[in-house]
Each structure stands twice: as C-alpha cells, then as structure tokens.
Amino acid sequence: GQSTCQPCATGTECASETSTIPVPCAVGKYNDVAGELCKICPAGKACAFVSTVDPTICSKGSAAAAGSTACTVCGIGTYAELDGAEVCEPCPAGKICEDPGTHTPTICAAGSAAAEGSSVCNVCDAGTYSQVEGTAACAACPAGSECTTLGTISPVKCAAGSFAEEGSPACTPCSVGTYQDEAGQGACK
C-alpha cells in the first residue's frame, strides 16, 4: 500500500476521507485548486463540462447565474454591457436593444421614444413630439402649437387667428364671433 494519500487533481474532488478515486466535478461546478471540493460555477461564468478547472467568462451580450452550464444570450429588449454579467438588464428608456446579444443599446432619435425594455423606437404620433434623442416618451404638443406630422421634433406655433389645445395635432381657426390677435395661443378671445 501507499504510505501517503495523493491530493485530488483540479477539476475533481475527493468528498470523503476514504475516497479511493477522484470524482470529476459535475457540469455547473468547477475546482481550480488541487485537494479541494468542487465549487458552484460563479455568476457571469459557465461550467459546461465535467472536470472544469477554469470557468468560461460570459462575453458581453450574454449572462449566466451562479451554477450555470452555459452563458445565455441576452434576449431582445435586454442587454449586458460588460463581460461576466450575471443577468441581462432591461434596455434603458430612450434606447433600444433590437437584436439578441445586445451589449450597446441604440439611442432613439429626436421625434421618437422608447420605454424601458424596448426593442423599437416608436415614432411620435401626430399631436405629440420629442425634441431630443433618447426620450422615454413623446410629450403632448403644447397649447398654442401644432404637431401635425408623425415624428414631430419641434412644435409649430399657431398663427394669429387660430388656436390649439394641448395635444392637438393641428391649429384650428377661430370660430365666427371670436378672434385671436396673438400667435401661439390655446384659445380664441
């Protein structure tokens, strides 16, 4: 017989004092130190094979929870900006994550908007506008102005003789018996 015991190799474990052969680490676990027990694969890494010694780091655009056997590609509307992510985050408001595996969200242009977790920039409807890029929601056209087209960036003030209420797509001429001598008003006099 042997006079000394051998430490179990990396990628294996000897779970009891009477172990006669090393047991390979199961998928989802690893062991990078000879003589120690297998450990749960850390978050942001994958342990895809038995006897893993060095877990594989998840690349940006993918993620893995602790104990994972594979990195999961981020779905549409989510992203992972850095290598080694534990979870894919919802795409930030004002930006979109239109493809699986997104690591850098795309900013929405002025005249459009996107809520958190979006994969599409929504063009502002008539009666709404967005003056800057990266907007979470289109704003109602201000009183006294019109936003006649889809994707309005800058509301246009109503001319004298017309008015518009907030959120109105177009200016309305003053009715008979009323007037408006100033531009950009929300009602006639």
Side-chain angles (χ1 to χ4, degrees):
Q2 294 282 335
S3 61
T4 61
C5 293
Q6 301 297 315
C8 285
T10 57
T12 68
E13 69 181 352
C14 300
S16 73
E17 291 180 9
T18 58
S19 294
T20 56
I21 57 166
V23 176
C25 294
V27 292
K29 293 187 173 189
Y30 77 106
N31 184 1
D32 57 352
V33 180
E36 291 195 2
L37 297 177
C38 298
K39 301 175 275 273
I40 297 288
C41 200
K45 296 185 177 185
C47 299
F49 307 104
V50 294
S51 302
T52 295
V53 175
D54 187 20
T56 304
I57 192 162
C58 296
S59 60
K60 56 189 175 183
S62 67
S68 293
T69 59
C71 298
T72 303
V73 173
C74 296
I76 291 171
T78 67
Y79 77 110
E81 191 171 18
L82 304 173
D83 291 340
E86 181 176 0
V87 295
C88 295
E89 301 288 340
C91 206
K95 296 183 179 184
I96 57 168
C97 300
E98 54 192 327
D99 299 311
T102 295
H103 54 83
T104 305
T106 304
I107 195 161
C108 292
S112 68
E116 182 182 76
S118 293
S119 60
V120 176
C121 294
N122 295 307
V123 174
C124 296
D125 291 327
T128 67
Y129 74 106
S130 168
Q131 289 185 304
V132 295
E133 63 181 20
T135 302
C138 298
C141 200
S145 295
E146 63 182 6
C147 301
T148 56
T149 60
L150 293 173
T152 295
I153 296 171
S154 297
V156 177
K157 282 192 173 187
C158 295
S162 66
F163 74 100
E165 295 177 350
E166 182 181 61
S168 181
C171 299
T172 304
C174 293
S175 59
V176 175
T178 65
Y179 74 100
Q180 183 49 263
D181 55 354
E182 296 176 57
Q185 298 303 305
C188 291
K189 299 177 182 176

